[in-house]
Amino acid sequence: MSNWTSLWYVWLLLLTVFLLLLCGITASCVRFCCRKKRSPVETFSRHPCDLTAIAIDSDSTAHSTVT
Protein backbone atom coordinates (compact mmCIF):
# COMPACT_ATOMS: atom_id res chain seq x y z
CA MET A 1 0.00 0.00 0.00
CA SER A 2 1.29 3.46 -0.92
CA ASN A 3 2.23 6.06 1.62
CA TRP A 4 -0.18 9.05 1.58
CA THR A 5 2.66 11.58 1.70
CA SER A 6 4.14 10.25 -1.53
CA LEU A 7 0.86 10.80 -3.41
CA TRP A 8 1.47 14.50 -4.05
CA TYR A 9 -1.16 14.74 -6.79
CA VAL A 10 -3.90 13.67 -4.38
CA TRP A 11 -2.87 16.41 -1.95
CA LEU A 12 -2.74 18.91 -4.82
CA LEU A 13 -6.24 17.94 -5.93
CA LEU A 14 -7.60 18.17 -2.37
CA LEU A 15 -5.95 21.56 -1.90
CA THR A 16 -7.44 22.83 -5.18
CA VAL A 17 -10.94 21.69 -4.22
CA PHE A 18 -10.58 23.23 -0.76
CA LEU A 19 -9.41 26.56 -2.19
CA LEU A 20 -12.29 26.64 -4.68
CA LEU A 21 -14.79 25.99 -1.90
CA LEU A 22 -13.18 28.65 0.26
CA CYS A 23 -13.32 31.20 -2.58
CA GLY A 24 -16.97 30.37 -3.25
CA ILE A 25 -17.94 30.75 0.40
CA THR A 26 -16.00 34.02 0.68
CA ALA A 27 -17.62 35.43 -2.48
CA SER A 28 -21.08 34.47 -1.21
CA CYS A 29 -20.45 36.16 2.13
CA VAL A 30 -19.16 39.33 0.46
CA ARG A 31 -22.18 39.49 -1.86
CA PHE A 32 -24.55 38.91 1.05
CA CYS A 33 -22.92 41.63 3.18
CA CYS A 34 -22.84 44.15 0.33
CA ARG A 35 -26.48 43.46 -0.54
CA LYS A 36 -27.50 43.93 3.08
CA LYS A 37 -25.70 47.29 3.46
CA ARG A 38 -27.21 48.89 0.36
CA SER A 39 -30.69 50.33 0.56
CA PRO A 40 -33.21 48.36 -1.47
CA VAL A 41 -33.73 50.06 -4.81
CA GLU A 42 -36.80 49.20 -6.82
CA THR A 43 -35.78 48.62 -10.44
CA PHE A 44 -39.27 49.10 -11.87
CA SER A 45 -42.35 50.89 -10.70
CA ARG A 46 -45.30 48.73 -9.87
CA HIS A 47 -48.33 49.49 -11.99
CA PRO A 48 -51.57 47.55 -11.77
CA CYS A 49 -52.00 45.24 -14.70
CA ASP A 50 -54.78 46.00 -17.15
CA LEU A 51 -56.92 43.01 -17.98
CA THR A 52 -59.21 43.06 -20.98
CA ALA A 53 -61.96 40.50 -21.27
CA ILE A 54 -63.85 39.96 -24.50
CA ALA A 55 -67.23 38.33 -24.20
CA ILE A 56 -68.44 36.26 -27.13
CA ASP A 57 -72.07 35.27 -27.20
CA SER A 58 -73.53 32.41 -29.20
CA ASP A 59 -74.94 34.73 -31.89
CA SER A 60 -71.53 36.24 -32.65
CA THR A 61 -69.94 35.69 -36.07
CA ALA A 62 -66.61 34.91 -34.40
CA HIS A 63 -68.25 32.09 -32.45
CA SER A 64 -69.85 30.60 -35.55
CA THR A 65 -66.55 30.61 -37.47
CA VAL A 66 -64.74 28.87 -34.63
CA THR A 67 -67.35 26.14 -34.27
Side-chain angles (χ1 to χ4, degrees):
M1 193 148 190
S2 299
N3 191 3
W4 276 97
T5 55
S6 65
L7 300 175
W8 59 270
Y9 50 89
V10 174
W11 291 112
L12 183 65
L13 181 66
L14 288 174
L15 181 67
T16 305
V17 169
F18 175 73
L19 288 176
L20 284 173
L21 284 173
L22 188 67
C23 287
I25 292 171
T26 305
S28 296
C29 289
V30 167
R31 284 185 61 187
F32 178 74
C33 290
C34 289
R35 185 182 298 161
K36 202 169 190 176
K37 287 181 182 177
R38 281 190 281 164
S39 61
V41 176
E42 204 168 310
T43 57
F44 57 90
S45 59
R46 296 184 181 204
H47 296 291
C49 297
D50 293 332
L51 182 64
T52 305
I54 301 173
I56 300 176
D57 57 350
S58 61
D59 295 334
S60 173
T61 56
H63 184 267
S64 61
T65 57
V66 170
T67 58

